[in-house]
Every structure is written in C-alpha cells, then in structure tokens.
Amino acid sequence: MSMLVSLIAVFGLVAVSYMMELVGLHTVLGIIIPYTAVLVFLGGFTYRIIDWARSPVPFKIPTTCGQQESLSWIKHNKLESPSTTGQVMARMFLEVFFFRSLFRNTKTDATEGPRLLYTSDKFLWLGGIVFHWTFLVIVLRHFRLFVEPVPGFVHLLESVDGFIQLTLPTFYMTDMVIVLVVTYLFIRRVVIPQVKYISLAADFFPLLLILAIALTGILMRYILKVNIVGVKELVHGLFALSPVIPDNLGSTAYIFYIHLFLVSSLLVYFPFSKLMHMGGVFMSPTRNLPNDSRKHRHINPWNDPNIKPHSYEAYEDDFRKVMKSVGLPLEKDVDGEEEGEK
Amino acid sequence: MGDSQKLLGFMGQNASALKKLWYESVLATYPPETAQLLRSKKDQFSNPVGYTLKTMIEEVVEGFLAEAEVQELAAAFHPLIRIKAVQGFSPAEAVSSVLKLKHAVRELLAAKASSGSGSDVLEELDPVIDELMCSCFNLYVDCRQKLSEIKEEELKRNFYMLLKKADLVEDKNTG
Amino acid sequence: MVKTPKPKELTENLLEKPNLLRGDQPKQSWMETPVEFKPGTYCHAAKPKVLEGLGFPNPREWQPGDDDWQLPDGWEETILKGFQERLKKFRSFKLYMDICVRCGACADKCHFFLGSGDPKNMPVLRAELVRSIYRGEFKTAGKILGSIAGGRKMTIGVLKEWFMYFHQCTQCRRCSVFCPYGIDTAEITMMAREMMSLVGANINWIMEPVSNCNRTGNHLGLQPHAFVSSIRSLCEDIEEITGVSIDVPFNKKGAEILFITPSADAFAMPGIYTMMGYLLLFKHIGLDYTMSTYASEGGNFGSFTNNETMKMLNAKMYAEAKRLGVKWILGGECGHMWRVVHQYMDTMNGPADFLELPKSPITGTVFSNAASTKMVHIAEFTADLIKHGKLKLDPSRNDHWHTTWHDSCNTARGMGLLEEPRYVLQNVVNKFHEMPENTIREQTFCCGSGTGLNTDEFMEVRMKGGLPRANAVKYVMEKHDVNLLSCVCAIDRATLSSLVQYWVPGMEVSGLHELVGNALVFEGEKWPRAMDLREDEPYDYEEPEEEPEAEAPAEATEEGGEGDV
C-alpha cells in the first residue's frame, strides 16, 4: 500500500512536469520552480536545524561503546568512548563518513553455526555507504554545470568516475552504481519481512524519487542526448541570478525539464522528511557528546532547583526512636519517652 | 529403537529434504518478520532461537539415523520446548514441533507415493512420535512449574535477611 | 492410510487459538494489531496508595488486563501536552522522532525481540509506536494523510500498546550502539514512561520502591534499625567465617568517605555476599568511611519513572554527603545507579563544591575522571588498590569458582566501565573465561529485567528477554566449565540468578566484591577455614597432597594443615 502510494506519487511528478513542458510552461519549470525549491530547501533545512537546536540537551548521554577514561594505566578507548572534543570529532567523522555504527553489524556473522541463506547486515552497510558516496560524487560532478570556470575537483572526479570509457559522452560509473544501489535498497525493503513491516510511504518515496532522478539523468545524457550547451546556459543563468530560458535544448528538452522538476521535488521534500538525518546525525546527543560527565559538569537549562529530597530532618523525625535504639547518632536528640515534637 | 528399517531407510534417503521441510514448518509458527530473522542470522549468539531450532532439527534427524534411544531424541527437543514454554505458546502449540516432524515425513511420503512403503514407515514412526510428544509435554509442564518455583525462590532471595531474622529460612541457603 | 486429511490442516485446526506470536494475518500492519494482556506478560499496576503518597496523578485500583483503565476525562490531551513539552525539553527525543530512516539495523539487536520474536519488540518499531503519534498529532502530513504518512491518533489502544512495549524495554541501549545516528530507544522509553505516568499508567514494582526510597531510604521500605541490624548480622557472619571482626560506621560525621550501594546488597541473596566483600575490603585497608541509613539506597527507580523523581531520589546522596561532611563518595556495584551517577547526578544535583577531589587515602591516586561529581566506582577504587599492591590476595581461595564476566548494560553503554572490573576479577580468581565477543562489553546482552521490570509476576517475559544472555552463559558453561557469572549490578545479581535457574541450571551468580572478599588474606584470620562467604562452598583441603605449588602465592604454605570441613 505505502509502496504503491509512493510509486504513484513519483509517476505523478513525472507526468505533471511532462505536461507542463508540453504546454510550454518553460519559465515555470526552468526558473520559478527551481528557485522556489532551492529557497524551500535552504529555508526548511535551516529551520529544522534551528528547531532541533532550540530543544536543549538536558543531560550528557553519550552511548559509550568502549572503555572510559579512568585510571591512567587502563587503556582508554578514545574513539568509542571519547572524553575530549577532539576525540568526539574523530568519532563523529568516522560515524558520518564511514557509518561506523552500522559497520558494527558485520562482526556478528563471524562465528560458526549452521550455514544458512545470506547475511543482510553486511549489505546494509555496504549499500548505505555506496549509495551516499555515489550520491555525493554525482552532486559534486554537477558543479560543472553550476559555475564557471569548472572547479578543479570536478575534473578529478570526472576522470576517476569516467575511467571506463564505454560510451560517448564518457560513461560515469556512478550513474550505473546509483541505479543498482537504490534498486538494492528498494528491493531490500520489499523482500526482507521485518524491514517491509516497518517501512512507510516515507521510506519508499525518497528511494523511488532518487531512482527516477537518476534514470531521467541517464536518459538525458546517454540516450535522448539533450543539448548540453543549452542546459549549461540555463543552469549557469540560475546560479548567476540572471535566469534565461535557452531555446537550443533540442527536441528532447522535456527529459531535462522532468529531471529538473524531480530534483526540485527532492529539494522541497527534503527538509520535511527523514532525509533530514543528514543534518540530524551531527546533533545526536548519544554520539556528539564526550564521555566526561563526571569530570565536567553539564548544565541543564531547565533544571528545577525546587526539587528537593525528602530531608534528613524529616527522616530523623520519622525514625528517631528506632534510630536511637540501634545507637545511630542523631542531629536532635529528644529526651522524653515519646517524641517531643513533630 | 528396535526394528525400524523402513523408517531408517526412508530418512536416510530424504534427510536433507526432511530437515528443510520440518524446519520451515516450525518457523511458520512465528510471524514472517520474525521467521526471516530466525532464518537469516546464523550466529549462535545473536540468534539464539533460530540456532536452537536448527540444532534441534539436526540432532533429531541425525539421532534417528544413528538409531538413538527415544530419550536421547527427546533430549534434543528440550531446548526448543524450554524456549516455547515462555514465549506465550500453549502446550499444544509448543509440542506441535514434534507433530510437525510427522507431518513433514508424511508430506515427503506423499510426494514419493510411488514407493508404496509409506504405511510401513509411518507405522514405525508413530510410536516414536507418541513418546516424543509425551516427553515434550512433560517438559513443558516442568518448565511452567519451574517458573513458579523460580518466582518463589526469587522472593525468598530478595527478602533473605528479613526472613532469616524471622527464622523463616534456613541459615545456610544454597543460592 | 490412503486418504488422511492433509497433515498441515490437522495442526492448523489444533492450534486455532489466535496468538500474538503466530503469523495469522501477515497482511495486517502493525498499527492494526492490538495488544493482548495475558498473565505473565505485564507488571501489576501501581497501587493507589503509593501514587497518592507521591502525588502522582490518577491513583485508582486497576490492572492492565482491565478493559476500562479508568483514565480521567481528556487524558489524551494530557498526554499530547506532555508530549509537546518533552519535545521542547529534550533534543534527543525531538531528534529521534524525526531522523530515523527505518533501515532496520537495530531490529535484531534487542534481547526482547530475539527472545520473544514479537515484531513490536524491534527497537525501530517500539519507537514507531510513539513516532506514529508524533506524526499523526503534530505533523501536517500525518494529520491529513493519516496512516499513509505513518501517523495515527492517540487512543486507548495506543496507550495500552505503549504500556506493554515500553515495559518490555530495559533501556539497555544495545540498539543505540548499532544505530547509524545513535538513536537510543532508552530515551524514547523514558519519555513514553513519563507520559504514561501523567495519566496514572504506572507499574507498582517501580512506584512502590520509589515511594519507599523517598521516605525510608531504601526499596523495601525498611526502617533504619532494620538496615543497621541487617548489616550487623552480616558482620557476625563474616566473623564466624573468617575470624575478622568488623564494626561498620553508620551516619558518622567527619568520615572521609561516604559509601553508598544498592540496598539489595544489605538484604538480598546473593547481594549480601557482595556487601560482605565490601566490608572486608574496607577493613583490610583500614578505610575511614561511613554508610548512611538515610541515603541507604544507591539504586534509583525514579529513573524508570520520570526525571523529576530521579532527581528527587538522587538528591539524597549529595545532601547526606554534605550533612556528614565527608570528602567524597564511593559507590557500590549497581548498574542503573551508575547510569544516574555518571550521566545525570552532577547535572541534576550538583555542583558538589562542598566535596573534595576524590583521592584514594591508601594509594594517593587522584580520580580526576570524577573531578566534578566527586563519586568513584568501587571497581575503579579496588583496581587502583590492586595495581598498587595494597591488597593481600589469594586467588586460589576462589578456585571452586570458574568465572565469566557479565557487563551490565548501564555500566557498559552508559559509562564505559569495562576493564576495571575485569582487572579486579582476574586478580582475585584463577579461572576466568569471557563469553563470546558479540555478547559482552558494549555488545553485552541485558539480563532482561532491568528498569524496574524485575518483578515476579513478569517472570515469563523476563525469561524471554534474558534468553540471549543466558544462551551465551550456557555456552561458556558447556565449553569451559564456567560455574559463576559475576557482575557489578544489583538487579543483575537478583535477576540473573532466576534467569540461569531456568536456562542454565547449575550456574551461580555473584558480585565482583564477593570474590574480592573471598580472596582477601587477613592477619590473624581464622585459617584454615572451611567455607567461603557463602558458607556452603567448602574448600577442598584434600588437594594439597599433590603439591600446591601451582600458582598459589606465598601464604599457600598455611594451607598445609588438613582442614576440617
């Protein structure tokens, strides 16, 4: 059900943009929507981060995955139980760039046991890391279209990515990889029962949307061959804040507009979805705090100073007699047989 | 296990198919999300239930082939029954793991109807299954009984010093 | 034999009764699967008297199995208001509502899921029980699209679901270790329990100890004289066994160190042996310390209820340290007590500027890692003593034990106390074997009874939840003849004892300092002595005939004489 909804939604987006292109709403598709999308993305992303940041972190609660810093002769695990800001940054670096926690999953399959089907865990990490890195490379590669002159790192990426020269224009491995890996991540959600059970439309939709973006991109580049000069002109215009709609995109311009519309959709959808994990991962209190809570006091802004314990005095009042009977020292020794006061 | 040549022969020929069929039928007593986990994780420690099930099936089928005593076969069942006894399964559901062996054998026999020796095999199998059922049923009840004992003993342990003071427990208690 | 009914049909008929664990309707989504309260699968509801005493809302006589939970009018509003309030107060909660991508990495990491097979025990789904309300009540998409956007409304069915599954989470944080964003179900469980207590959906096993701790200072609600006499009686046992006479200081002003440990160590088996171990250790090094009857509970069941109650109970530690004028605090073996002390205490009840930087009076070591809280874990303290050679130890006195080490969830994943206890253990015993790698240290499996779920009516679920732990214990028992599961947690000591009784008969459970106590060699002690602290474990004095030179230290010669058992 949720899968079907997502599929329909993505097809809907494609159809809408195709129709808009047919009726010639090029300014809307090529200028208004992309600008709106970028604004929504930037505004939404910032808003979400600020919104999270507005909620304080009342307690210092890192999940410790290794030996704490304690006695000098006990080896402190600086990465898994960091106690300084530098160590926390190292932990976060591995977390963000190499998905260290997810990688832990691979360990568990090492020991003996009856041989059975497959080990999904390893693939989840691999799928995740390949997907994210590929996505990043593809985004960076697009900088060729964004700015002039083309930044140096783009050339480097292109030459590595286009190492296998299969097609003309140069075939980029990432184009194939992203289709494969997104397909894998999608199939995984459908095939593994416990993952299917927990999956929502919000899980299928972004995968399908990204798949659609990748496919339209591939179509545009290798098969329908939109005129790249025109594309560059349009995108440069957008980035230079002097937008133009070029008329030399060729007969297959529609695929470019669909691609651009889908990317815009992703940008708009991003801040309101789970995709915000991109920003959220940096803010997770179980990961981004040092394990030094006994060394440095953490401040809770809403700590309520009026919460007091049941006082010792009240306690002694309650139990003075029996305390005396076992010889416990008293703050206020009342002589009378009965307790003198309340 | 006495004279069970037909059964032995049949099991020997169909051991792996039998294991698979039986395994899947016990797995089917769990929700599909859970069954998949039990099936896919092979590590003994990150998947204790799946491992126990797999081990039981291996041991029982291999036990049959090695002409083990019924008690030994029953012992192979016990870890699984012990688990099912606390997993919210009724006694019938728990001991049905034994029945599922019989059904797996029948299903295999039906698939190979041509051999014609089906009834002999089943005749040899029935008494064993009966005994296994009884044994597993006993164990299930024992497990439930054990739970109440554990509850009682835990209470005693938690209040040990008080009970001792009131002379309600023996001084030297074996934890 | 020709035409029998299909065997499968037979079983299906036999097992018609619907069961949560049976995949009867695999098509049904989890939101449509209602909970079913059966005896053994839930903890008893908090008694009205207890809630009243603490000023908690909606005290009444009820049970989770009731159809009508007697909730006040507008309870949904109360929960939702509490929900929003907590989103504003806890970044963890807000963030973890938003960023989960449901990748499923956590799914099979939960001991309750592994043991019960109930899909709602997958950490991701447990959290979705709350997230679905977040989306359905507060998010535009969820409000409009409902279940398509993964949202739903707060109903009694949802509350019942929360009650069941947030009392099947022990806040052990194992899922958080594997989550790529560190999403910690413990945080979500804490919030869900806080919200439930807004409408009076509490369990008695948590609330009654809270109430007792508050007034009398300990879980059982034992009055000061009972606490003192219990420990004195333990001292008598110690003297009888070892010949060492100990006088424990209570509420003593001006002592150097205040010692606080869970009260179970004073009353319960096998915690009392750990208490004997502490007392022997303090005697051995001549420590200037005091125990307190007012702050006689290290454990903090408030942390299983809400942060206010946690703070209130915890505040006694500093209050008493201040009143007695001690220099610093030494904490005994307890899991969740140390989660609170390590990660919450200073923030809630600090700064402890009336205390001094903790410094071991015996070795001079400064515990700079506790510079702010001024509270040191006894495993840290003892490890330091051993490292400096301040203890006279004979590990062969523990030779009847073949040990393994259980890392308690809280000290492992909420503190990082992994090596200190191992160092101590390996210096007081000769036989030690680790459990498999993926079941210890940061990957340790919970006892299945933490966070106030260690009540007897919950035994069935506890046995399920503890299965992964027990399974690894069983493995080392079979492989290496291990017969003692040692740990630094009072709930563990109480509940692992029950757990192994069911899954691993023959295994015993002990605290770390029980073994320290056994191994300590005193001047003028009773020797040879026939028993260890448990009195029922005789030493085998026939052994020395075969030359005791093995690895027995200096005092082994004293063993020469035949001991009478």
Side-chain angles (χ1 to χ4, degrees):
Chain A
M1 177 64 185
S2 50
M3 196 167 66
L4 200 63
V5 171
S6 312
L7 198 63
I8 292 170
V10 173
F11 272 117
L13 291 174
V14 173
V16 165
S17 51
Y18 183 61
M19 259 142 34
M20 285 165 83
E21 204 277 337
L22 273 188
V23 297
L25 292 170
H26 292 148
T27 317
V28 177
L29 279 175
I31 298 170
I32 298 176
I33 289 178
Y35 271 141
T36 317
V38 169
L39 285 178
V40 170
F41 173 76
L42 292 177
F45 197 97
T46 317
Y47 171 77
R48 291 302 296 277
I49 297 287
I50 292 173
D51 191 35
W52 283 330
R54 276 205 318 234
S55 297
V57 178
F59 303 108
K60 207 186 263 179
I61 50 163
T63 305
T64 55
C65 302
Q67 172 61 38
Q68 64 167 349
E69 181 191 19
S70 66
L71 298 160
S72 58
W73 47 273
I74 287 178
K75 195 169 177 291
H76 170 210
N77 190 334
K78 296 190 174 73
L79 272 181
E80 299 287 20
S81 195
S83 65
T84 64
T85 312
Q87 291 164 8
V88 169
M89 281 163 70
R91 185 187 202 191
M92 289 302 293
F93 177 83
L94 290 177
E95 206 62 81
V96 171
F97 289 94
F98 299 102
F99 303 178
R100 188 178 167 84
S101 291
L102 205 52
F103 186 72
R104 263 187 259 274
N105 283 327
T106 57
K107 272 192 193 163
T108 56
D109 288 324
T111 42
E112 80 272 27
R115 285 174 99 23
L116 279 168
L117 293 176
Y118 59 90
T119 56
S120 58
D121 292 347
K122 224 169 267 181
F123 287 116
L124 174 60
W125 174 79
L126 194 66
I129 201 125
V130 169
F131 167 72
H132 284 85
W133 277 104
T134 311
F135 196 91
L136 180 67
V137 168
I138 292 176
V139 170
L140 291 178
R141 268 207 284 104
H142 278 69
F143 269 74
R144 160 176 291 280
L145 305 170
F146 301 165
V147 283
E148 191 74 59
V150 177
F153 71 87
V154 175
H155 290 299
L156 184 71
L157 277 179
E158 284 176 345
S159 60
V160 175
D161 201 358
F163 182 67
I164 312 172
Q165 305 213 333
L166 272 181
T167 57
L168 211 71
T170 315
F171 175 77
Y172 291 131
M173 284 180 289
T174 45
D175 289 346
M176 184 182 67
V177 172
I178 197 146
V179 170
L180 290 180
V181 76
V182 172
T183 310
Y184 162 72
L185 290 174
F186 184 81
I187 288 179
R188 182 181 167 272
R189 282 210 181 271
V190 182
V191 170
I192 303 177
Q194 76 252 33
V195 184
K196 186 178 177 192
Y197 197 59
I198 57 177
S199 292
L200 303 170
D203 299 311
F204 292 113
F205 177 70
L207 281 177
L208 290 172
L209 184 58
I210 290 168
L211 188 63
I213 291 172
L215 289 175
T216 50
I218 289 169
L219 275 177
M220 176 169 59
R221 179 175 167 83
Y222 303 105
I223 297 163
L224 299 172
K225 301 200 176 170
V226 177
N227 182 7
I228 189 76
V229 180
V231 170
K232 242 184 147 164
E233 205 176 313
L234 191 150
V235 180
H236 272 163
L238 286 175
F239 271 78
L241 298 179
S242 53
V244 283
I245 296 293
D247 51 10
N248 58 349
L249 282 167
S251 60
T252 51
Y254 64 87
I255 193 72
F256 166 72
Y257 283 116
I258 293 176
H259 183 71
L260 188 60
F261 184 79
L262 292 178
V263 172
S264 303
S265 310
L266 183 65
L267 286 174
V268 169
Y269 179 72
F270 199 104
F272 308 103
S273 69
K274 70 167 192 177
L275 301 180
M276 276 306 290
H277 67 263
M278 177 186 171
V281 64
F282 293 94
M283 302 181 78
S284 179
T286 58
R287 289 287 186 275
N288 71 4
L289 288 168
N291 179 28
D292 65 348
S293 36
R294 271 192 292 157
K295 197 173 194 171
H296 302 294
R297 181 162 185 249
H298 178 82
I299 304 295
N300 172 7
W302 49 261
N303 191 31
D304 184 354
N306 298 316
I307 297 175
K308 300 276 187 225
H310 179 71
S311 73
Y312 176 81
E313 289 69 30
Y315 167 85
E316 194 180 291
D317 285 348
D318 277 348
F319 300 115
R320 185 165 291 115
K321 213 168 145 191
V322 290
M323 287 174 80
K324 201 169 178 180
S325 75
V326 287
L328 287 171
L330 296 172
E331 290 281 342
K332 202 191 298 175
D333 200 351
V334 179
D335 285 330
E337 276 94 272
E338 298 300 308
E339 70 273 42
E341 54 189 276
K342 267 262 158 197
Chain B
M1 236 160 44
D3 238 4
S4 53
Q5 291 319 305
K6 287 271 163 46
L7 178 61
L8 260 180
F10 175 79
M11 281 205 165
Q13 281 165 21
N14 300 288
S16 68
L18 181 63
K19 284 178 197 170
K20 208 170 156 197
L21 203 57
W22 185 19
Y23 178 66
E24 286 299 328
S25 66
V26 181
L27 272 189
T29 60
Y30 292 93
E33 303 78 42
T34 311
Q36 178 57 27
L37 164 87
L38 298 180
R39 199 182 284 126
S40 66
K41 278 224 134 186
K42 55 186 176 177
D43 183 83
Q44 173 179 2
F45 305 106
S46 32
N47 182 10
V49 178
Y51 183 83
T52 305
L53 171 58
K54 191 81 188 165
T55 314
M56 172 201 85
I57 285 172
E58 284 291 325
E59 280 179 14
V60 172
V61 175
E62 294 304 321
F64 261 107
L65 295 179
E67 298 182 61
E69 294 296 316
V70 182
Q71 288 90 329
E72 285 176 49
L73 295 182
F77 270 98
H78 285 185
L80 186 73
I81 300 295
R82 196 176 292 279
I83 289 173
K84 292 214 159 196
V86 292
Q87 276 187 330
F89 289 93
S90 69
E93 287 168 322
V95 301
S96 76
S97 318
V98 182
L99 275 185
K100 288 186 191 302
L101 168 63
K102 183 155 107 173
H103 298 158
V105 170
R106 282 191 179 193
E107 228 170 277
L108 278 179
L109 279 173
K112 308 194 178 206
S114 55
S115 62
S117 60
S119 57
D120 299 346
V121 171
L122 285 176
E123 226 163 83
E124 290 171 7
L125 181 64
D126 273 343
V128 187
I129 294 286
D130 292 349
E131 243 182 277
L132 287 177
M133 285 283 283
C134 292
S135 163
C136 287
F137 186 76
N138 276 347
L139 182 77
Y140 183 93
V141 175
D142 284 351
C143 285
R144 300 302 300 185
Q145 179 63 31
K146 184 90 188 161
L147 276 183
S148 350
E149 282 169 26
I150 290 174
K151 284 182 203 177
E152 232 169 83
E153 285 186 33
E154 185 173 279
L155 278 177
K156 272 195 226 161
R157 280 200 312 273
N158 284 349
F159 296 90
Y160 177 71
M161 290 305 282
L162 299 179
L163 298 172
K164 186 177 159 188
K165 217 167 168 101
D167 270 333
L168 289 174
V169 284
E170 278 182 75
D171 206 342
K172 289 171 196 175
N173 194 316
T174 44
Chain C
M1 198 46 47
V2 192
K3 280 278 176 226
T4 40
K6 278 249 163 53
K8 266 189 177 162
E9 291 165 10
L10 272 177
T11 357
E12 292 323 315
N13 293 339
L14 189 73
L15 310 172
E16 202 53 57
K17 202 170 136 273
N19 186 315
L20 249 185
L21 277 161
R22 301 242 326 268
D24 292 335
Q25 295 135 307
K27 292 252 160 56
Q28 199 177 28
S29 90
W30 61 264
M31 283 195 204
E32 285 139 26
T33 314
V35 288
E36 188 190 352
F37 287 100
K38 289 191 300 181
T41 64
Y42 61 84
C43 302
H44 293 156
K47 291 172 190 154
K49 194 181 64 186
V50 172
L51 288 191
E52 255 162 41
L54 285 165
F56 270 61
N58 198 17
R60 70 212 180 280
E61 202 66 64
W62 70 290
Q63 281 307 333
D66 297 349
D67 280 336
D68 179 11
W69 276 19
Q70 307 167 53
L71 299 170
D73 283 342
W75 67 269
E76 295 97 336
E77 272 308 303
T78 312
I79 294 247
L80 294 180
K81 241 183 82 196
F83 203 129
Q84 276 177 313
E85 193 187 316
R86 279 159 187 78
L87 289 171
K88 289 200 184 82
K89 282 169 89 175
F90 293 89
R91 187 181 301 164
S92 53
F93 187 42
K94 191 171 173 76
L95 198 69
Y96 298 159
M97 287 295 102
D98 282 324
I99 61 169
C100 176
V101 299
R102 290 167 289 279
C103 70
C106 60
D108 50 7
K109 304 303 183 289
C110 174
H111 52 285
F112 277 115
F113 178 56
L114 292 177
S116 71
D118 184 342
K120 283 186 189 171
N121 273 326
M122 296 190 278
V124 48
L125 203 43
R126 196 189 311 282
E128 288 288 311
L129 301 180
V130 175
R131 279 193 202 111
S132 55
I133 302 304
Y134 174 71
R135 291 186 292 255
E137 299 276 9
F138 306 130
K139 290 277 163 180
T140 320
K143 278 195 237 174
I144 298 168
L145 297 171
S147 69
I148 303 233
R152 58 177 177 169
K153 296 287 171 200
M154 190 72 212
T155 62
I156 180 69
V158 171
L159 186 68
K160 288 185 173 183
E161 207 174 35
W162 283 13
F163 187 89
M164 175 161 254
Y165 291 101
F166 290 106
H167 288 118
Q168 283 186 30
C169 167
T170 46
Q171 307 178 355
C172 83
R173 310 185 106 192
R174 193 169 191 266
C175 48
S176 166
V177 169
F178 295 92
C179 174
Y181 319 119
I183 294 175
D184 184 3
T185 307
E187 289 295 303
I188 294 164
T189 297
M190 286 178 190
M191 293 301 114
R193 289 195 187 178
E194 287 201 2
M195 290 188 273
M196 285 190 285
S197 55
L198 296 176
V199 295
N202 305 90
I203 68 173
N204 200 57
W205 191 257
I206 293 178
M207 297 318 289
E208 195 158 318
V210 164
S211 160
N212 288 337
C213 282
N214 186 41
R215 224 176 77 84
T216 59
N218 57 64
H219 279 180
L220 297 181
L222 292 169
Q223 302 193 352
H225 59 303
F227 184 78
V228 170
S229 68
S230 181
I231 289 186
R232 285 186 183 152
S233 142
L234 290 178
C235 290
E236 284 164 23
D237 288 351
I238 292 176
E239 183 157 10
E240 194 182 310
I241 298 163
T242 67
V244 176
S245 121
I246 294 176
D247 188 22
V248 180
F250 288 100
N251 301 358
K252 179 181 149 194
K253 286 196 176 181
E256 183 169 359
I257 291 164
L258 170 63
F259 177 64
I260 300 177
T261 194
S263 65
D265 289 350
F267 298 108
M269 285 250 264
I272 47 172
Y273 306 120
T274 307
M275 176 66 87
M276 293 180 181
Y278 304 139
L279 300 180
L280 279 165
L281 174 74
F282 299 157
K283 173 80 180 178
H284 190 81
I285 57 175
L287 194 69
D288 177 18
Y289 74 105
T290 180
M291 290 187 74
S292 163
T293 58
Y294 165 69
S296 58
E297 179 60 69
N300 189 330
F301 272 35
S303 67
F304 308 147
T305 313
N306 62 33
N307 66 78
E308 291 88 2
T309 314
M310 164 168 65
K311 177 175 170 165
M312 177 179 78
L313 295 185
N314 174 263
K316 282 186 170 185
M317 289 192 186
Y318 278 157
E320 185 68 342
K322 195 170 185 176
R323 186 183 75 87
L324 296 176
V326 299
K327 287 185 179 158
W328 52 277
I329 310 173
L330 182 63
E333 301 179 10
C334 180
H336 74 279
M337 156 182 163
W338 271 98
R339 176 88 196 279
V340 174
V341 167
H342 186 73
Q343 298 197 322
Y344 295 86
M345 177 162 84
D346 201 10
T347 301
M348 294 186 302
N349 291 313
D353 40 21
F354 48 88
L355 295 175
E356 291 174 17
L357 181 65
K359 179 176 167 187
S360 170
I362 316 300
T363 65
T365 301
V366 172
F367 294 94
S368 56
N369 64 324
S372 183
T373 53
K374 321 280 201 303
M375 186 149 173
V376 175
H377 193 288
I378 191 153
E380 296 168 338
F381 182 71
T382 307
D384 174 63
L385 289 171
I386 294 175
K387 182 75 179 175
H388 285 84
K390 300 292 182 190
L391 303 185
K392 200 170 175 202
L393 296 166
D394 175 6
S396 71
R397 294 183 182 185
N398 278 315
D399 274 357
H400 52 302
W401 294 125
H402 194 139
T403 59
T404 191
W405 184 251
H406 165 68
D407 291 281
S408 304
C409 317
N410 283 298
T411 50
R413 289 184 283 259
M415 185 174 176
L417 182 95
L418 304 173
E419 297 305 332
E420 297 89 341
R422 280 183 172 76
Y423 179 79
V424 173
L425 182 65
Q426 288 176 43
N427 274 286
V428 298
V429 303
N430 286 321
K431 297 180 217 160
F432 169 71
H433 256 101
E434 290 277 17
M435 284 182 276
E437 189 195 4
N438 51 351
T439 69
I440 54 169
R441 298 177 194 270
E442 79 279 2
Q443 299 196 33
T444 188
F445 275 117
C446 179
C447 62
S449 310
T451 64
L453 307 182
N454 48 327
T455 167
D456 63 304
E457 73 263 18
F458 204 51
M459 195 57 80
E460 198 174 312
V461 178
R462 290 170 49 192
M463 292 298 118
K464 283 190 261 189
L467 169 60
R469 171 75 294 159
N471 182 53
V473 174
K474 188 158 183 241
Y475 176 81
V476 282
M477 182 187 220
E478 285 166 358
K479 269 257 150 71
H480 306 294
D481 294 324
V482 167
N483 62 359
L484 186 72
L485 179 59
S486 196
C487 59
V488 273
C489 173
I491 291 184
D492 276 334
R493 282 192 282 279
T495 66
L496 286 175
S497 300
S498 299
L499 187 73
V500 294
Q501 248 182 303
Y502 187 79
W503 297 111
V504 201
M507 181 66 66
E508 296 283 334
V509 178
S510 86
L512 179 63
H513 279 76
E514 172 184 345
L515 300 172
V516 173
N518 277 343
L520 281 173
V521 178
F522 282 83
E523 293 291 330
E525 65 182 359
K526 185 156 136 193
W527 196 261
R529 60 189 194 220
M531 319 163 213
D532 68 0
L533 294 176
R534 297 197 175 196
E535 302 185 57
D536 56 1
E537 295 289 344
Y539 286 125
D540 191 354
Y541 289 108
E542 273 67 60
E543 286 295 321
E545 314 282 27
E546 328 162 0
E547 281 319 291
E549 70 197 78
E551 58 258 85
E555 52 279 352
T557 43
E558 296 172 27
E559 267 180 65
E562 292 285 307
D564 50 335
V565 183

